[in-house]
Amino acid sequence: MIRRCTPSDLQQMHAAINDAAQAYKGVIPDDRWHEPYIPMEELEAEIRDRVVFWCLEEDGQLIGVMGIQDKGDVVLIRHAYVRTSRRHGGIGTQLLKHLEGLTTKPILIGTWRAAIWAIDFYERNGYLIQSRKETDRDLRRYWNIPERQIETSVVLAKSAEGAANQLIQPTS
Ligand SMILES: CC(C)(COP(=O)(O)OP(=O)(O)OC[C@H]1O[C@@H](n2cnc3c(N)ncnc32)[C@H](O)[C@@H]1OP(=O)(O)O)[C@@H](O)C(=O)NCCC(=O)NCCS
């Protein structure tokens, strides 16, 4: 079941995110890695900053978590995480499609340039890698991240049309 997260999900969200984030260990720049990757205070700050989190729940367990943040002219997909043991089962795709269905605005996603599996995942879902110039501009405009993260990140985008088309495509 995909549903919106509630305050009582916080512990499980934190656990699922940090389990999934192990994928970054040894891949992203060492100076950006820390454990837990997302401390509870940072997760709470993101919620206060209006990242709306959704989750895929199975038997009372949060298996995947994904956030969406309205930035006016665009929306951002933030913090996409599926538990390590459940990857490649279509959960990330289900969550992403669900969030895409909540908006008709252009969608931007930022990720580590070294996270090639994530870039691949988004490209397969119809997102296009932005140029270095567009990436820098968008990260500065819509995100609040340190300069070092800007240098080592990439932004992917899907047009509003793309998102709207998805809404009218029949499900197979
Ligand atoms: C990126 C991430 C969220 C994707 O979630 P996921 O649930 O593994 O994604 P899906 O299963 O929907 O799709 C992943 C792959 O599995 C394949 N797949 C989907 N359903 C499948 C199934 N039933 N059987 C086998 N393979 C399947 C898809 O073709 C896809 O292949 P691709 O990655 O080569 O395109 C997840 O890998 C993750 O949490 N990674 C670590 C954190 C991270 O990188 N997050 C992104 C931050 S922006």
Coordinates of all heavy atoms in Angstrom, one line a residue, residues 55-144:
C55 N 5.1 6.6 1.5 CA 5.8 5.4 1.7 C 5.1 4.2 1.1 O 3.9 4.3 0.8 CB 6.0 5.1 3.2 SG 4.5 5.0 4.1
L56 N 5.8 3.1 0.8 CA 5.2 1.9 0.5 C 5.3 1.0 1.7 O 6.4 0.7 2.2 CB 5.8 1.2 -0.7 CG 5.0 0.0 -1.3 CD1 5.0 0.0 -2.8 CD2 5.6 -1.3 -0.7
E57 N 4.1 0.6 2.2 CA 4.1 -0.2 3.4 C 3.6 -1.6 3.1 O 2.7 -1.8 2.3 CB 3.1 0.4 4.4 CG 3.0 -0.2 5.7 CD 1.9 0.3 6.6 OE1 0.9 0.8 6.0 OE2 2.0 0.3 7.8
E58 N 4.3 -2.6 3.8 CA 3.9 -4.0 3.6 C 3.9 -4.6 5.0 O 4.9 -4.6 5.6 CB 4.9 -4.7 2.7 CG 4.4 -5.4 1.5 CD 5.5 -6.0 0.8 OE1 6.3 -6.8 1.3 OE2 5.7 -5.6 -0.4
D59 N 2.8 -5.2 5.4 CA 2.7 -5.8 6.7 C 3.2 -5.0 7.8 O 4.0 -5.4 8.7 CB 3.4 -7.2 6.7 CG 2.9 -8.1 5.6 OD1 1.7 -8.1 5.4 OD2 3.7 -8.9 5.1
G60 N 2.8 -3.7 7.8 CA 3.2 -2.8 8.8 C 4.7 -2.3 8.7 O 5.2 -1.5 9.6
Q61 N 5.4 -2.7 7.7 CA 6.8 -2.3 7.5 C 6.9 -1.3 6.4 O 6.4 -1.5 5.3 CB 7.6 -3.5 7.1 CG 7.9 -4.5 8.3 CD 9.1 -4.1 9.1 OE1 10.0 -3.4 8.6 NE2 9.1 -4.5 10.3
L62 N 7.7 -0.2 6.6 CA 7.9 0.7 5.5 C 9.1 0.2 4.7 O 10.2 0.0 5.2 CB 8.3 2.1 6.0 CG 7.2 2.8 6.8 CD1 7.5 4.3 6.9 CD2 5.8 2.6 6.3
I63 N 8.8 -0.1 3.4 CA 9.8 -0.8 2.6 C 10.5 0.3 1.7 O 11.7 0.2 1.4 CB 9.2 -1.8 1.6 CG1 8.2 -2.7 2.3 CG2 10.2 -2.5 0.8 CD1 8.9 -3.6 3.3
G64 N 9.7 1.3 1.4 CA 10.3 2.4 0.5 C 9.7 3.7 1.0 O 8.6 3.8 1.5
V65 N 10.5 4.8 0.8 CA 10.1 6.1 1.2 C 10.5 7.1 0.0 O 11.6 6.9 -0.5 CB 10.9 6.6 2.5 CG1 10.6 8.0 2.8 CG2 10.5 5.7 3.6
M66 N 9.6 8.0 -0.3 CA 10.0 9.0 -1.3 C 9.3 10.3 -1.0 O 8.1 10.3 -0.5 CB 9.6 8.5 -2.7 CG 10.5 8.9 -3.8 SD 10.0 8.2 -5.4 CE 10.8 6.7 -5.4
G67 N 10.0 11.5 -1.2 CA 9.4 12.7 -0.8 C 9.1 13.6 -2.0 O 9.8 13.5 -3.1
I68 N 8.2 14.5 -1.9 CA 7.9 15.5 -3.0 C 7.8 16.9 -2.4 O 7.3 17.0 -1.3 CB 6.6 15.1 -3.8 CG1 6.4 16.0 -5.0 CG2 5.4 15.1 -2.9 CD1 5.4 15.4 -6.0
Q69 N 8.4 17.8 -3.0 CA 8.5 19.2 -2.4 C 8.1 20.2 -3.5 O 8.8 20.3 -4.6 CB 9.9 19.4 -2.0 CG 10.1 20.7 -1.1 CD 11.6 20.8 -0.6 OE1 12.5 20.3 -1.2 NE2 11.7 21.5 0.5
D70 N 7.1 20.9 -3.2 CA 6.6 21.9 -4.2 C 7.4 23.2 -4.1 O 7.6 23.8 -3.0 CB 5.1 22.3 -3.8 CG 4.5 23.0 -5.0 OD1 5.1 23.9 -5.6 OD2 3.3 22.8 -5.2
K71 N 8.0 23.6 -5.2 CA 8.8 24.8 -5.2 C 8.3 25.9 -6.1 O 9.0 26.7 -6.7 CB 10.2 24.4 -5.7 CG 11.0 23.7 -4.6 CD 11.6 24.6 -3.6 CE 12.3 23.8 -2.5 NZ 12.9 24.8 -1.5
G72 N 7.0 25.9 -6.3 CA 6.3 26.9 -7.0 C 6.2 26.6 -8.5 O 5.2 26.0 -8.9
D73 N 7.2 26.9 -9.3 CA 7.1 26.6 -10.7 C 7.5 25.1 -11.1 O 7.2 24.6 -12.2 CB 7.9 27.5 -11.6 CG 9.4 27.7 -11.1 OD1 9.6 27.4 -9.9 OD2 10.2 28.2 -11.8
V74 N 8.1 24.5 -10.1 CA 8.5 23.0 -10.3 C 8.2 22.3 -9.0 O 8.0 22.9 -8.0 CB 10.0 22.9 -10.6 CG1 10.4 23.6 -11.9 CG2 10.9 23.4 -9.5
V75 N 8.3 20.9 -9.1 CA 8.3 20.1 -7.9 C 9.6 19.3 -7.9 O 10.1 19.0 -9.0 CB 7.1 19.2 -7.7 CG1 5.8 19.9 -7.6 CG2 7.1 18.1 -8.8
L76 N 10.1 19.1 -6.7 CA 11.3 18.2 -6.6 C 10.9 16.9 -6.0 O 10.1 16.8 -5.1 CB 12.3 18.9 -5.6 CG 12.6 20.4 -5.8 CD1 13.7 20.8 -4.8 CD2 13.2 20.6 -7.2
I77 N 11.5 15.8 -6.5 CA 11.4 14.5 -5.9 C 12.6 14.5 -4.9 O 13.8 14.7 -5.4 CB 11.5 13.4 -6.9 CG1 10.3 13.4 -7.9 CG2 11.5 12.0 -6.2 CD1 8.9 13.1 -7.3
R78 N 12.4 14.2 -3.7 CA 13.5 14.2 -2.7 C 13.5 12.9 -1.9 O 12.5 12.3 -1.7 CB 13.2 15.4 -1.6 CG 13.0 16.8 -2.2 CD 14.3 17.4 -2.7 NE 15.4 17.2 -1.8 CZ 15.6 18.0 -0.7 NH1 14.7 19.0 -0.4 NH2 16.6 17.8 0.1
H79 N 14.7 12.5 -1.6 CA 14.9 11.3 -0.7 C 14.2 10.1 -1.2 O 13.2 9.7 -0.6 CB 14.5 11.7 0.7 CG 15.2 12.9 1.2 ND1 16.6 13.0 1.4 CD2 14.7 14.1 1.6 CE1 16.9 14.1 1.9 NE2 15.8 14.9 2.0
A80 N 14.6 9.5 -2.3 CA 14.0 8.3 -2.8 C 14.8 7.1 -2.3 O 16.0 7.0 -2.6 CB 14.1 8.3 -4.3
Y81 N 14.2 6.3 -1.5 CA 14.9 5.2 -0.8 C 14.1 3.9 -0.7 O 12.9 4.0 -0.3 CB 15.4 5.6 0.6 CG 16.4 6.6 0.6 CD1 16.1 8.0 0.9 CD2 17.7 6.3 0.3 CE1 17.1 9.0 0.9 CE2 18.7 7.3 0.3 CZ 18.4 8.6 0.6 OH 19.3 9.6 0.6
V82 N 14.7 2.8 -1.2 CA 14.0 1.5 -1.0 C 15.0 0.6 -0.2 O 16.2 0.6 -0.5 CB 13.7 0.9 -2.4 CG1 13.2 -0.5 -2.3 CG2 12.7 1.8 -3.2
R83 N 14.4 -0.1 0.7 CA 15.3 -0.9 1.6 C 16.2 -1.8 0.7 O 15.7 -2.4 -0.3 CB 14.4 -1.8 2.5 CG 14.0 -1.0 3.8 CD 13.4 -1.9 4.8 NE 13.1 -1.2 6.0 CZ 14.0 -1.1 7.0 NH1 15.2 -1.7 6.9 NH2 13.7 -0.5 8.1
T84 N 17.4 -2.0 1.1 CA 18.4 -2.7 0.4 C 17.9 -4.1 -0.1 O 18.1 -4.5 -1.2 CB 19.7 -2.9 1.2 OG1 20.1 -1.6 1.7 CG2 20.8 -3.5 0.4
S85 N 17.3 -4.8 0.9 CA 16.9 -6.2 0.6 C 15.7 -6.2 -0.4 O 15.4 -7.3 -0.9 CB 16.4 -6.9 1.9 OG 15.3 -6.2 2.4
R86 N 15.1 -5.1 -0.7 CA 13.9 -5.1 -1.6 C 14.1 -4.3 -2.9 O 13.2 -4.1 -3.6 CB 12.7 -4.5 -0.8 CG 12.4 -5.2 0.5 CD 11.9 -6.6 0.2 NE 10.8 -6.6 -0.7 CZ 9.5 -6.5 -0.3 NH1 9.2 -6.5 1.0 NH2 8.5 -6.5 -1.2
R87 N 15.4 -4.0 -3.2 CA 15.6 -3.3 -4.5 C 15.3 -4.2 -5.7 O 15.3 -5.4 -5.6 CB 17.1 -2.9 -4.5 CG 17.3 -1.5 -4.0 CD 18.7 -1.1 -4.2 NE 19.0 -0.4 -2.9 CZ 20.2 -0.4 -2.4 NH1 21.1 -1.1 -2.9 NH2 20.4 0.3 -1.3
H88 N 15.1 -3.5 -6.8 CA 14.9 -4.2 -8.1 C 13.6 -5.0 -8.1 O 13.5 -6.0 -8.8 CB 16.1 -5.1 -8.5 CG 17.3 -4.3 -8.7 ND1 17.5 -3.4 -9.7 CD2 18.4 -4.2 -7.9 CE1 18.7 -2.8 -9.5 NE2 19.3 -3.3 -8.4
G89 N 12.7 -4.6 -7.2 CA 11.4 -5.3 -7.2 C 10.2 -4.4 -7.7 O 9.1 -4.7 -7.6
G90 N 10.6 -3.2 -8.2 CA 9.6 -2.3 -8.8 C 9.0 -1.3 -7.8 O 8.2 -0.5 -8.1
I91 N 9.5 -1.4 -6.5 CA 8.9 -0.5 -5.5 C 9.3 1.0 -5.8 O 8.4 1.9 -5.7 CB 9.4 -0.9 -4.1 CG1 8.8 -2.3 -3.8 CG2 9.1 0.1 -3.0 CD1 9.4 -3.0 -2.6
G92 N 10.5 1.2 -6.2 CA 10.9 2.6 -6.5 C 10.1 3.2 -7.6 O 9.6 4.3 -7.6
T93 N 9.9 2.3 -8.6 CA 9.1 2.8 -9.8 C 7.6 3.1 -9.3 O 7.1 4.1 -9.7 CB 9.1 1.7 -10.9 OG1 10.4 1.4 -11.2 CG2 8.3 2.1 -12.1
Q94 N 7.1 2.2 -8.5 CA 5.7 2.5 -8.0 C 5.6 3.8 -7.3 O 4.6 4.6 -7.5 CB 5.3 1.3 -7.1 CG 4.8 0.0 -7.7 CD 4.4 -0.9 -6.7 OE1 3.5 -0.7 -5.9 NE2 5.1 -2.1 -6.6
L95 N 6.5 4.0 -6.4 CA 6.5 5.2 -5.6 C 6.7 6.5 -6.5 O 6.0 7.5 -6.4 CB 7.6 5.2 -4.5 CG 7.2 4.5 -3.2 CD1 8.5 4.2 -2.4 CD2 6.2 5.3 -2.4
L96 N 7.6 6.4 -7.4 CA 7.9 7.5 -8.3 C 6.7 7.8 -9.2 O 6.3 9.0 -9.3 CB 9.1 7.2 -9.2 CG 9.6 8.3 -10.1 CD1 10.0 9.5 -9.3 CD2 10.8 7.8 -11.0
K97 N 6.0 6.8 -9.7 CA 4.8 7.0 -10.5 C 3.7 7.6 -9.7 O 2.9 8.5 -10.1 CB 4.4 5.7 -11.2 CG 5.3 5.3 -12.3 CD 4.7 4.4 -13.3 CE 5.7 4.0 -14.4 NZ 6.5 5.1 -14.9
H98 N 3.6 7.2 -8.4 CA 2.6 7.7 -7.6 C 2.8 9.2 -7.4 O 1.9 10.0 -7.5 CB 2.6 7.0 -6.2 CG 1.5 7.5 -5.3 ND1 0.2 7.0 -5.4 CD2 1.5 8.4 -4.4 CE1 -0.6 7.7 -4.6 NE2 0.2 8.5 -3.9
L99 N 4.0 9.6 -7.1 CA 4.3 11.0 -6.8 C 4.1 11.8 -8.1 O 3.7 13.0 -8.0 CB 5.7 11.2 -6.3 CG 6.0 10.6 -4.9 CD1 7.3 11.1 -4.3 CD2 4.9 10.8 -3.9
E100 N 4.5 11.3 -9.2 CA 4.3 12.0 -10.5 C 2.8 12.3 -10.7 O 2.5 13.3 -11.3 CB 4.9 11.2 -11.7 CG 6.4 11.1 -11.7 CD 6.9 10.2 -12.8 OE1 6.2 9.4 -13.4 OE2 8.1 10.2 -13.0
G101 N 2.0 11.4 -10.3 CA 0.6 11.5 -10.4 C 0.0 12.6 -9.6 O -1.2 13.0 -9.8
L102 N 0.8 13.2 -8.6 CA 0.3 14.2 -7.7 C 0.5 15.6 -8.3 O 0.1 16.6 -7.7 CB 1.0 14.1 -6.4 CG 0.9 12.8 -5.6 CD1 1.8 12.9 -4.4 CD2 -0.5 12.5 -5.3
T103 N 1.2 15.7 -9.5 CA 1.5 17.0 -10.0 C 1.5 17.1 -11.5 O 1.6 16.0 -12.1 CB 2.9 17.4 -9.5 OG1 3.2 18.8 -9.9 CG2 4.0 16.5 -10.0
T104 N 1.2 18.2 -12.0 CA 1.4 18.4 -13.5 C 2.5 19.4 -13.7 O 2.7 19.9 -14.9 CB 0.1 19.0 -14.1 OG1 -0.3 20.1 -13.4 CG2 -1.0 17.9 -14.2
K105 N 3.3 19.8 -12.7 CA 4.4 20.7 -12.9 C 5.6 19.9 -13.3 O 5.7 18.7 -13.1 CB 4.7 21.3 -11.5 CG 3.7 22.3 -11.0 CD 4.1 22.9 -9.7 CE 2.9 23.7 -9.1 NZ 3.3 24.4 -7.9
P106 N 6.6 20.6 -13.9 CA 7.9 19.9 -14.3 C 8.5 19.4 -13.0 O 8.3 20.0 -11.9 CB 8.7 21.1 -14.8 CG 7.8 22.1 -15.2 CD 6.6 22.0 -14.3
I107 N 9.1 18.2 -13.1 CA 9.7 17.6 -11.9 C 11.2 17.5 -12.1 O 11.7 17.2 -13.1 CB 9.2 16.1 -11.9 CG1 7.6 16.1 -11.8 CG2 9.8 15.4 -10.7 CD1 7.0 14.7 -11.9
L108 N 11.9 17.9 -11.0 CA 13.3 17.8 -11.0 C 13.8 16.9 -9.9 O 13.1 16.8 -8.8 CB 13.9 19.2 -10.6 CG 13.6 20.4 -11.6 CD1 14.3 21.6 -11.1 CD2 14.1 20.0 -13.0
I109 N 14.9 16.2 -10.1 CA 15.4 15.2 -9.2 C 16.9 15.5 -9.1 O 17.6 15.5 -10.2 CB 15.2 13.8 -9.6 CG1 13.7 13.5 -9.6 CG2 15.9 12.8 -8.6 CD1 13.3 12.1 -10.1
G110 N 17.5 15.6 -7.9 CA 18.9 15.8 -7.8 C 19.5 14.5 -7.2 O 18.9 14.0 -6.3
T111 N 20.6 14.1 -7.7 CA 21.3 12.9 -7.1 C 22.8 13.1 -7.2 O 23.3 13.9 -8.0 CB 20.7 11.6 -7.6 OG1 21.2 10.5 -6.8 CG2 21.1 11.3 -9.1
W112 N 23.5 12.2 -6.6 CA 25.0 12.2 -6.7 C 25.3 11.7 -8.1 O 24.8 10.8 -8.6 CB 25.6 11.2 -5.7 CG 25.3 11.6 -4.3 CD1 24.4 11.0 -3.4 CD2 26.0 12.6 -3.5 NE1 24.5 11.6 -2.2 CE2 25.4 12.6 -2.2 CE3 27.0 13.5 -3.8 CZ2 25.8 13.4 -1.2 CZ3 27.4 14.4 -2.8 CH2 26.8 14.4 -1.5
R113 N 26.3 12.4 -8.7 CA 26.8 12.1 -10.0 C 27.3 10.6 -10.0 O 27.3 9.9 -11.0 CB 27.9 13.0 -10.5 CG 27.8 13.3 -11.9 CD 28.9 14.2 -12.4 NE 29.1 15.4 -11.6 CZ 30.2 16.0 -11.4 NH1 31.3 15.6 -12.0 NH2 30.2 17.1 -10.7
A114 N 27.9 10.2 -8.8 CA 28.5 8.8 -8.7 C 27.4 7.7 -8.6 O 27.7 6.6 -8.7 CB 29.4 8.8 -7.6
A115 N 26.2 8.1 -8.3 CA 25.1 7.1 -8.1 C 24.5 6.7 -9.4 O 23.4 7.0 -9.7 CB 24.0 7.7 -7.1
I116 N 25.3 6.0 -10.2 CA 24.9 5.7 -11.5 C 23.7 4.8 -11.6 O 22.9 5.0 -12.5 CB 26.1 5.0 -12.4 CG1 26.7 3.9 -11.5 CG2 27.1 6.0 -12.9 CD1 27.8 3.2 -12.3
W117 N 23.4 4.0 -10.6 CA 22.2 3.2 -10.6 C 21.0 4.1 -10.5 O 19.9 3.8 -11.1 CB 22.2 2.2 -9.4 CG 22.2 2.9 -8.1 CD1 21.1 3.3 -7.4 CD2 23.4 3.3 -7.3 NE1 21.5 3.9 -6.2 CE2 22.9 3.9 -6.2 CE3 24.7 3.1 -7.5 CZ2 23.7 4.4 -5.2 CZ3 25.6 3.7 -6.5 CH2 25.1 4.3 -5.4
A118 N 21.1 5.2 -9.7 CA 20.0 6.1 -9.5 C 19.7 6.8 -10.8 O 18.5 7.0 -11.2 CB 20.2 7.0 -8.3
I119 N 20.8 7.3 -11.4 CA 20.6 8.0 -12.7 C 20.0 7.1 -13.7 O 19.0 7.5 -14.4 CB 22.0 8.6 -13.2 CG1 22.6 9.6 -12.2 CG2 21.9 9.1 -14.6 CD1 24.0 10.0 -12.4
D120 N 20.4 5.9 -13.8 CA 19.9 4.9 -14.7 C 18.4 4.7 -14.4 O 17.5 4.7 -15.3 CB 20.6 3.6 -14.4 CG 20.6 2.7 -15.6 OD1 20.8 3.2 -16.7 OD2 20.3 1.5 -15.4
F121 N 18.0 4.6 -13.2 CA 16.6 4.4 -12.7 C 15.8 5.5 -13.2 O 14.7 5.3 -13.8 CB 16.6 4.2 -11.2 CG 15.3 4.3 -10.6 CD1 14.3 3.3 -10.7 CD2 14.9 5.5 -9.8 CE1 13.1 3.4 -10.1 CE2 13.7 5.6 -9.2 CZ 12.8 4.5 -9.3
Y122 N 16.3 6.8 -13.0 CA 15.4 7.9 -13.4 C 15.4 8.0 -14.9 O 14.3 8.4 -15.5 CB 16.0 9.2 -12.8 CG 15.9 9.2 -11.3 CD1 17.0 9.4 -10.5 CD2 14.6 9.0 -10.7 CE1 16.9 9.4 -9.1 CE2 14.5 9.0 -9.3 CZ 15.6 9.2 -8.5 OH 15.5 9.2 -7.1
E123 N 16.5 7.8 -15.6 CA 16.4 7.8 -17.1 C 15.4 6.8 -17.6 O 14.7 7.2 -18.5 CB 17.8 7.6 -17.7 CG 18.8 8.8 -17.5 CD 20.1 8.6 -18.2 OE1 20.6 7.4 -18.2 OE2 20.7 9.6 -18.7
R124 N 15.4 5.6 -17.1 CA 14.4 4.6 -17.5 C 13.0 5.1 -17.3 O 12.1 4.6 -17.9 CB 14.7 3.3 -16.9 CG 15.9 2.6 -17.5 CD 15.9 1.2 -16.9 NE 17.2 0.6 -17.3 CZ 17.4 -0.6 -17.6 NH1 16.3 -1.4 -17.7 NH2 18.5 -1.1 -17.9
N125 N 12.9 6.0 -16.3 CA 11.5 6.5 -16.0 C 11.3 7.8 -16.7 O 10.3 8.5 -16.3 CB 11.4 6.6 -14.5 CG 11.0 5.3 -13.8 OD1 9.9 4.8 -13.9 ND2 12.0 4.7 -13.1
G126 N 12.1 8.1 -17.7 CA 11.8 9.2 -18.6 C 12.4 10.6 -18.2 O 12.1 11.6 -18.8
Y127 N 13.3 10.5 -17.3 CA 14.0 11.8 -16.9 C 15.2 12.0 -17.7 O 15.9 11.1 -18.1 CB 14.4 11.7 -15.4 CG 13.1 11.8 -14.5 CD1 12.3 10.7 -14.3 CD2 12.7 13.0 -13.9 CE1 11.2 10.8 -13.5 CE2 11.6 13.1 -13.2 CZ 10.8 12.0 -13.0 OH 9.7 12.1 -12.2
L128 N 15.5 13.3 -18.0 CA 16.7 13.6 -18.8 C 17.7 14.3 -17.9 O 17.4 15.3 -17.1 CB 16.3 14.6 -19.9 CG 15.4 14.0 -20.9 CD1 14.9 15.1 -21.9 CD2 16.0 12.9 -21.7
I129 N 19.0 13.9 -18.1 CA 20.1 14.6 -17.3 C 20.2 16.0 -17.8 O 20.3 16.3 -19.0 CB 21.4 13.9 -17.5 CG1 21.3 12.5 -16.8 CG2 22.6 14.7 -16.9 CD1 22.7 11.9 -16.6
Q130 N 20.3 17.0 -16.9 CA 20.5 18.4 -17.3 C 22.0 18.7 -17.5 O 22.8 18.0 -16.9 CB 20.0 19.3 -16.2 CG 18.5 19.1 -15.8 CD 17.6 19.4 -17.0 OE1 17.2 18.5 -17.8 NE2 17.2 20.6 -17.2
S131 N 22.2 19.7 -18.3 CA 23.6 20.1 -18.5 C 24.2 20.5 -17.2 O 23.5 20.8 -16.2 CB 23.7 21.2 -19.5 OG 23.1 22.4 -19.0
R132 N 25.6 20.6 -17.2 CA 26.2 21.1 -16.0 C 25.7 22.5 -15.6 O 25.5 22.8 -14.4 CB 27.8 21.2 -16.3 CG 28.7 21.5 -15.2 CD 28.7 20.4 -14.1 NE 28.1 20.9 -12.9 CZ 27.7 20.1 -11.9 NH1 27.8 18.8 -12.0 NH2 27.2 20.5 -10.8
K133 N 25.5 23.3 -16.6 CA 25.1 24.7 -16.3 C 23.7 24.7 -15.7 O 23.4 25.4 -14.7 CB 25.1 25.5 -17.7 CG 25.2 27.0 -17.5 CD 25.4 27.6 -18.9 CE 24.9 29.0 -18.9 NZ 24.7 29.6 -20.2
E134 N 22.8 23.9 -16.3 CA 21.4 23.8 -15.8 C 21.4 23.2 -14.4 O 20.6 23.6 -13.5 CB 20.5 23.0 -16.7 CG 20.2 23.6 -18.0 CD 19.7 22.6 -19.1 OE1 20.1 21.4 -19.1 OE2 18.9 23.1 -19.9
T135 N 22.2 22.2 -14.2 CA 22.3 21.5 -12.9 C 22.7 22.6 -11.8 O 22.1 22.7 -10.8 CB 23.4 20.4 -12.9 OG1 22.8 19.3 -13.7 CG2 23.7 19.8 -11.6
D136 N 23.8 23.3 -12.1 CA 24.3 24.3 -11.1 C 23.2 25.3 -10.8 O 22.9 25.7 -9.7 CB 25.5 25.1 -11.7 CG 26.7 24.3 -11.6 OD1 26.7 23.1 -11.0 OD2 27.8 24.7 -12.0
R137 N 22.5 25.8 -11.9 CA 21.5 26.8 -11.7 C 20.3 26.3 -10.9 O 19.9 26.9 -9.9 CB 20.9 27.2 -13.1 CG 19.9 28.3 -13.1 CD 19.1 28.3 -14.4 NE 18.4 27.0 -14.6 CZ 17.9 26.5 -15.8 NH1 18.1 27.2 -16.9 NH2 17.3 25.4 -15.8
D138 N 19.9 25.0 -11.2 CA 18.7 24.5 -10.5 C 19.0 24.1 -9.0 O 18.2 24.4 -8.1 CB 18.2 23.2 -11.2 CG 17.5 23.6 -12.5 OD1 17.2 24.8 -12.7 OD2 17.3 22.7 -13.4
L139 N 20.2 23.6 -8.8 CA 20.6 23.2 -7.4 C 20.7 24.5 -6.6 O 20.3 24.4 -5.4 CB 21.9 22.5 -7.4 CG 21.9 21.0 -8.0 CD1 23.3 20.4 -8.0 CD2 21.0 20.1 -7.1
R140 N 21.2 25.6 -7.2 CA 21.2 26.8 -6.4 C 19.8 27.4 -6.2 O 19.6 28.0 -5.1 CB 22.1 27.8 -7.1 CG 23.6 27.4 -7.0 CD 24.5 28.6 -7.2 NE 25.9 28.2 -6.8 CZ 26.7 27.4 -7.6 NH1 26.3 27.1 -8.9 NH2 27.9 27.1 -7.2
R141 N 19.0 27.3 -7.2 CA 17.7 27.9 -7.1 C 16.7 27.2 -6.2 O 16.0 27.8 -5.4 CB 17.1 28.0 -8.5 CG 15.8 28.8 -8.6 CD 15.3 28.8 -10.1 NE 16.1 29.6 -11.0 CZ 16.0 29.7 -12.3 NH1 15.0 28.9 -12.9 NH2 16.7 30.4 -13.0
Y142 N 16.7 25.8 -6.3 CA 15.7 25.1 -5.6 C 16.1 24.2 -4.4 O 15.3 23.8 -3.7 CB 15.0 24.1 -6.7 CG 14.4 24.8 -7.8 CD1 14.8 24.6 -9.1 CD2 13.3 25.7 -7.6 CE1 14.2 25.3 -10.2 CE2 12.7 26.3 -8.7 CZ 13.2 26.1 -10.0 OH 12.6 26.8 -11.0
W143 N 17.4 24.0 -4.3 CA 17.9 23.2 -3.2 C 18.6 24.1 -2.2 O 19.0 25.2 -2.5 CB 18.8 22.1 -3.7 CG 18.2 20.8 -4.1 CD1 18.0 19.7 -3.4 CD2 17.7 20.5 -5.5 NE1 17.4 18.7 -4.2 CE2 17.2 19.2 -5.4 CE3 17.5 21.3 -6.6 CZ2 16.6 18.6 -6.6 CZ3 17.0 20.7 -7.8 CH2 16.5 19.3 -7.7
N144 N 18.8 23.5 -1.0 CA 19.6 24.2 -0.1 C 20.7 23.3 0.4 O 20.6 22.6 1.4 CB 18.7 24.6 1.1 CG 19.4 25.4 2.1 OD1 20.5 25.9 1.9 ND2 18.8 25.6 3.3

